[in-house]
Each structure stands twice: as structure tokens, then as C-alpha cells.
Amino acid sequence: MSGEKGRIALVCSCEDTMLLDGKALARGCGAGVEIRGAEQLCLAQLDRFEAALATGRPLTIACTAQAPLFTQEAEAAGAATPLFVNIRETAGWSAEGKQAGPKMAALIAAAAEPMPEIPLVSLESNGIALVLGRDEVAITAAARLQEKLDITVLLSGDVPVAPPRQAAFPVMRGRARAASGYLGAFEVTVDGAAAPSPSSRAAYAWGKGKDGAISRADIILDLTGAAPLFPAHEVRQGYLRADPADGAALERAIVAAGELVGSFDKPRFVSFDGKLCAHARNKREGCRRCLDLCPTGAITPGVGPLKDQVVISAEICAGCGACAAVCPTGAATYALPPTQALLRRLRRLLLTYADAGGEAPVVLFHDEAHGEALIDALARHGDGLPARVLPLRVNEVSSLDLAVFAGAFAWGAAAVRLLAPARRGHGVEGVLRSIDYTAAVLEGLGLAGPAPRAALLETDDPFSMGEALAALPRMALGFAPARFEALGSPREMAQQGFRALREAAGARATMVALPEKAPFGLARVEQAGCTLCLACTSVCPTSAFTANPDRPELRFLEDACVQCGLCAATCPEGVITLEPRLNFAPEAAQAAVVQAEEPAACPRCNKLFGTKASIARVKAKLSAHWMFADPARQALLELCEDCRVLEATNGGIDPYAGAPRPVTKTTEDYLREAERAKRGEPDG
């Protein structure tokens, strides 16, 4: 596989503690990358780094332990900062280090794939803090923070609290009923809000309470010991919570609160394009996958001009990526990095590994905080990662969408494992769905293995991780990897990956059933009940349903259907049902007519309008109505809208005329008839 033209890769054996397979490195990285070796690049052979730096060519240093040193030397020389990749803890320091040449080549090549800059969102805190508490612990904490923060204390009033000698900060009573917001913009709804009496003596005496009071703050320090005010409260920036009986936790919270003043930048984890959102149309709700899975409440239904989409608060979002993992249209995509950038690196990793002679690779997705610590510990104190396990760091393993799994297997992965903490974190449900969809496709293509090909590996123990990876059977797919480059939206890239996988495997299956809420499938129309009202075409966000402008036809394009359910929710006859599936047949990419009727021609001008069946249905429904008892009036229904007006006007038909109205009788008329009846006289 050809590498980046002119790049130099400096590969150090770290004082010969690992074996470097030069042939495998050269074969995998290709002729465009020059491999230069060393044994102690950071000290005795630093001149080799300086010589490579002097060439002005792009550099990759296969060492992260001494990255600060190399970065400093590059800055001193006025040169660009090299790329760094870890091949020691991830490959060389392993019981299978002698076989790790293809893996090293893959890691070096993948590191050269550029990644976009991280988008940021700014939060501003002026230090206005609300301390929630129940006893003197809250008062003490507030006293410690009063020099740094603008403090207000809100006590629950459940227990008597002695007031301090001086009122250095406001103390109120009340119960926080609800809260919203984020660092710099919290809003708390308080019931029973009351001020203390100035003459409070041994304990605060409270005035009359008020419900529904609003308190605004930049920071909330919750020391009540009660239930948290926010879902997934651990990741809500600016909301600090500690059990008042836990001294260590209390100390950490107080220290952290004192540091939350100023401007703070956080990553904008998710990119969102509201025009692609399939949440709602015409007051009908369709897709709500992200709403159901977001653990922090950062996603809410839009209102006003945004009523047809959801709204994602970048300030609240904690970056789990569950929304991006399940979004069927690509409206929500993960930005650290974007799926397409991640797939470029994944493709380079797997194809380089294959070109270097590696077989049956296992891709191990992991994060920095949890995953890298386990990999490092296993390399230093255990057998290290197996030679065929290719680690790939991502921001959150829970953010991986279906395109990542499709691409991994199409490019030759024998298995995929997602390294996660033993205690399941927030937002993992989204990636679990992607794993289920992938398993269904692999099984449908006859590619299921003796062990799950894609799964979570949940552990906090490096040795358990190593044992689980070493115990994986060699589940080689048995065919050459595909070499397509993923392009388009995440959904389109998933389709590309699965189709490439099917073609590479030579699988015959043309239809694979998928679990519920999968982003591919059929919207089945019951023809007998469809009246061609075309309501489905007006709400379909991807134009999977379209109308023929020239004839009364309803067409459906399966490749475009995201299974949002808007068509089924809108159909007045209730004749549309969803069928999740992946259709590999060429017909799935072509719009098919799912309902058609004979057009009706106006008997006067021969203009086509409506359908014969719809006119017949209307006539049948109106046949018993007094306005259409006259056959001449029924004939109006067979005319187009223009001729109908002309006929009603020129033909002397009064559209408001009806049957003769009954003669109005007065009280005198009824009395007169009764008198005649008594005398036996006839009416008249």
C-alpha cells in the first residue's frame, strides 16, 4: 500500500527491548515512506532525529514516551512538529512481539492520516454560585468559597441550622424542584423559598415560603445528599455534587467549585444539520432515536420554526455520541473525529496490515482515559496485546456508528472489540444497536463466526482484557479485503461497506432482515387500502416516497428509506408498515411503483384529473346526500374543477338548491287544525 510521498518514519527498538521487522514495515508502509531505524533515538542517537528533521520532509516518530523531547527539538530547529505513534506498548512489548511487524507498519501508516481540528464551544462563568444543603455543612462550604465566588446558600429547612455571627452571604430556605442549564447558565426552580428572620437566634427562623421562585447561577454545589437534579449528573459541567457525610468527596467538590470562574472551552462533540432531521413533519412525530438515548437531556424537540427537528445543546452535550451512533439520516454526526476521517484511518490501518502480511486482524477501539491505561499496564506487567490486535483510539467508543463496523469488516477485520469500563457508562445503548445490526448483516451474509465478530469488551482489569483478546479464535473471513474509499454520509458509507463486504465475500444473499429501528428497510404499502392521497410524499424527509407528476402513481425508493416512521404516522388509511432490512438487489436503488390507478378524464375537456377509483368512492359516499339526489348533480363530480364551475353556472344548476322546504306552521295553524278535527271537518 503506497504511503505519503516523502515521509520519513523513525522507528526505535527502545534499547532493543522489541524486535523491528524492517521488511514488514517497508512492505506495509510502501515505497513512499522511508523507514529509518534506531536503538536509542532519544539519547545516544538523537542526531538521527536531527538529521531527519533537517531534510524538511514530514516525520513520523514511532515513540510517544519521548514526544516532549522531540517536540522541543523540532521547535528549536524551527521545524514542523512530527507525528507520534506508539508501537512499543501497543505492539513491541508483547509476548508476540516477534510477529508484530505488520501491526507496527499498520500503526505507523494510520498515524499519517490527517484529522480535522476539534471544534469548540465556549462557556462563561462569572462565579455566581448556588450552594444547596441541609445543614451546617453547606454553610461551612460556602464560607470557604466566599472569597472566590458570589455565594447564595439554599437550605432545605429539614433540620435546625444555627446562623453565623455575620451574614457574609445570603442564606435562604427552599427545595430545588427542577433545574436546567449548564456552566454559566443554570436556572433552578425553588418551592417554599423563604428568607430568614434577622432576629434568628439559636436556629434560622424562616418567613413565609413562595413556590416557583427562580434562582439563576453559574455554578451549583449540591450538598443535600438527595437525588441529583440532572440525569447523568457526573458529566454536567458546573454541577458539583457530594454526599455531605463523605469528607473526601466534599473536599473535591469545594476545590473544583472554586476553580470554575472564567472562560472555558469544551469540544463541540456533535455536528447537527437540522434539514436532515426526520423527527417530525406536519405535527406528526417520526424518528426519536436520539431523544430516547441521550443520557444528559442535551437533545430536546424543537419548537417554533424548528418544530420539525430536534435541538442539540452543545453546552450540555457530554460527548457520548449515542445520537450519532443511531441517527439514520446523518443529521447528527460525531465530530471527534467525523466518521469519514475515522474511516480513512481505519482503512489505512487494515489495508496496511494486510499488505504487510498480517492475517485475521482484530480491531480494538478504545478511548484515551480508560483504554490507553489498560493497554499500557498490560504491556508493562503482562503479555501485551496479541500481534493481530490493532488498537485504534477514539474519543468515545459509544460514538461509533454503523459505517465504522461496515467498513471494518469490508476492509478485512476478522473481529471488532470495543474496550469499555466494567461499569457501563452513559450512552452505550446506541453503539450496542450498531453491533446488533452488524451481527444481523454478517449472519445474513453467512459470515458469522464461532464467537461474536463485534462486541463490547467491558473490563477494568488489563489482564482480563489480555486474556479475552488472546482467547479470541482466529475467525479469518477467508477473502481479500475490499479497497473502496468511504464517501458520503455515515448512512451512505455504511451501505457502501456492506455492499463491498458482500461482493468481496461472494455472498449470494440479496435480502437481510434487520432488528427494529435499523436505518435501512422497506415501507410496505397495502395497495388495497391506499387511496393515493400522497400524504406520505409530503412528510418523507429523504424522498423515499415520491409522486409521479404526470400520472396518479406512488413510487418508493428503498435505498433512501431511513425507517423514521413519518409515513406510517401520517397515512390517513393506516396502510403503511415498516420492515427493517438490508436489500442488496439492484432494484433497491430504483424507484418502484407501489400504487397506481387509472386517471380520470373530464368528459367535457378530456383533462386528466384525479383517479377513476377516487371519483367512484366520492360518488358512492355522496349518493345518499340530498344535494346529490339529482343525477345531473352527480354528473358534476365527473368533471374537472374548471368544467364543474362552468356547468354549474351555465347549466342553471344552483349548488345551494335542495328539496322543497316544508311550509312553516304557526301556533294558530295547529290550533285551527285541532278545532277542525274535533268537528270532523277536512283540513284545508
Side-chain angles (χ1 to χ4, degrees), residues 86 91 135 171 180 236 288 344 421 461 540 556 585 592 622 632 652:
N86 180 9
D135 51 25
V171 178
S180 61
R236 180 72 61 123
R288 53 174 299 116
R344 285 197 301 267
D461 178 26
C540 182
F556 177 71
L622 295 178

Side-chain angles (χ1 to χ4, degrees), residues 15 24 69 121 133 150 186 272-273 276 286 356 497 527 559 585 641 647 684:
E15 298 181 324
L69 169 65
V121 58
D150 183 354
F186 284 111
F272 183 72
D273 184 351
L276 300 178
Q527 289 185 329
D559 267 6
E641 61 274 18
E647 178 64 22

Side-chain angles (χ1 to χ4, degrees), residues 485-570:
E485 293 190 22
L487 300 171
S489 68
R491 183 175 183 277
E492 291 168 337
M493 290 186 286
Q495 287 177 312
Q496 294 169 22
F498 284 133
R499 284 171 179 160
L501 175 63
R502 175 179 177 268
E503 183 178 350
R508 296 182 178 181
T510 58
M511 197 82 66
V512 174
L514 294 177
E516 185 183 4
K517 296 183 180 178
F520 309 109
L522 172 70
R524 189 180 299 280
V525 178
E526 182 186 335
Q527 289 185 329
C530 177
T531 62
L532 280 179
C533 69
L534 303 180
C536 52
T537 65
S538 66
V539 298
C540 182
T542 61
S543 296
F545 275 117
T546 55
N548 186 335
D550 301 320
R551 295 182 60 82
E553 287 181 353
L554 175 63
R555 298 180 293 191
F556 177 71
L557 178 61
E558 183 166 350
D559 267 6
C561 180
V562 297
Q563 300 282 285
C564 65
L566 278 168
C567 56
T570 302

Side-chain angles (χ1 to χ4, degrees), residues 4 14 118 150-151 159 182 188 218 343 350 385 407 436 438 478 510 541 582 596 640 674 680:
E4 181 182 353
C14 200
I118 298 174
D150 183 354
I151 297 288
V159 296
Y182 45 86
V188 182
D218 298 321
L343 287 181
L350 286 164
L385 292 177
D436 289 343
T438 303
T510 58
L582 187 56
C640 70

Side-chain angles (χ1 to χ4, degrees), residues 631-643:
R633 294 194 172 212
Q634 282 206 12
L636 285 177
L637 300 174
E638 299 176 359
L639 301 177
C640 70
E641 61 274 18
D642 296 328
C643 294

Side-chain angles (χ1 to χ4, degrees), residues 225-562:
L229 294 177
F230 298 99
H233 64 91
E234 304 93 337
V235 293
R236 180 72 61 123
Q237 287 187 279
Y239 177 70
L240 305 169
R241 180 173 176 268
D243 185 338
D246 186 339
L250 182 63
E251 184 65 24
R252 289 193 297 268
I254 292 174
V255 171
E259 297 174 349
L260 292 180
V261 181
S263 297
F264 302 87
D265 287 334
K266 62 172 286 190
R268 186 179 293 273
F269 296 103
V270 175
S271 299
F272 183 72
D273 184 351
K275 296 188 296 293
L276 300 178
C277 182
H279 171 59
R281 296 290 188 278
N282 298 341
K283 298 182 179 181
R284 299 286 184 175
E285 186 176 273
C287 177
R288 53 174 299 116
R289 292 167 172 85
C290 61
L291 287 167
D292 292 338
L293 292 185
C294 179
T296 63
I299 306 178
T300 54
V303 295
L306 305 179
K307 64 182 182 301
D308 287 345
Q309 64 178 66
V310 299
V311 175
I312 301 180
S313 169
E315 294 82 4
I316 296 175
C317 174
C320 72
C323 55
V326 299
C327 181
T329 64
T333 56
Y334 207 65
L336 272 70
T339 299
Q340 193 164 5
L342 176 59
L343 287 181
R344 285 197 301 267
R345 180 163 287 186
L346 176 62
R347 177 180 183 270
R348 189 88 170 263
L349 180 77
L350 286 164
L351 295 187
T352 300
Y353 179 78
D355 291 344
E359 297 178 350
V362 176
V363 179
L364 179 66
F365 290 103
H366 65 90
D367 63 9
E368 181 177 10
H370 176 260
E372 288 205 349
L374 264 61
I375 292 171
D376 184 84
L378 184 65
R380 294 175 180 275
H381 307 291
D383 290 337
L385 292 177
R388 62 192 184 96
V389 174
L390 309 181
L392 183 55
R393 192 179 83 188
V394 294
N395 187 63
E396 291 283 355
V397 296
S398 55
S399 69
L400 301 180
D401 58 43
L402 196 55
V404 175
F405 293 93
F409 289 109
W411 292 318
V416 172
R417 290 295 180 268
L418 280 59
L419 184 57
R423 181 182 179 183
R424 184 163 292 181
H426 302 295
V428 178
E429 294 81 1
V431 78
L432 288 174
R433 288 188 188 178
S434 295
I435 290 174
D436 289 343
Y437 304 152
T438 303
V441 174
L442 293 174
E443 184 175 356
L445 296 178
L447 299 176
R453 290 199 180 272
L456 277 180
L457 176 51
E458 298 173 291
T459 181
D460 297 331
D461 178 26
F463 303 108
S464 297
M465 175 192 70
E467 291 169 0
L469 294 171
L472 275 176
R474 296 182 68 85
M475 303 181 292
L477 292 173
F479 53 83
R483 292 185 171 264
F484 75 99
E485 293 190 22
L487 300 171
S489 68
R491 183 175 183 277
E492 291 168 337
M493 290 186 286
Q495 287 177 312
Q496 294 169 22
F498 284 133
R499 284 171 179 160
L501 175 63
R502 175 179 177 268
E503 183 178 350
R508 296 182 178 181
T510 58
M511 197 82 66
V512 174
L514 294 177
E516 185 183 4
K517 296 183 180 178
F520 309 109
L522 172 70
R524 189 180 299 280
V525 178
E526 182 186 335
Q527 289 185 329
C530 177
T531 62
L532 280 179
C533 69
L534 303 180
C536 52
T537 65
S538 66
V539 298
C540 182
T542 61
S543 296
F545 275 117
T546 55
N548 186 335
D550 301 320
R551 295 182 60 82
E553 287 181 353
L554 175 63
R555 298 180 293 191
F556 177 71
L557 178 61
E558 183 166 350
D559 267 6
C561 180
V562 297

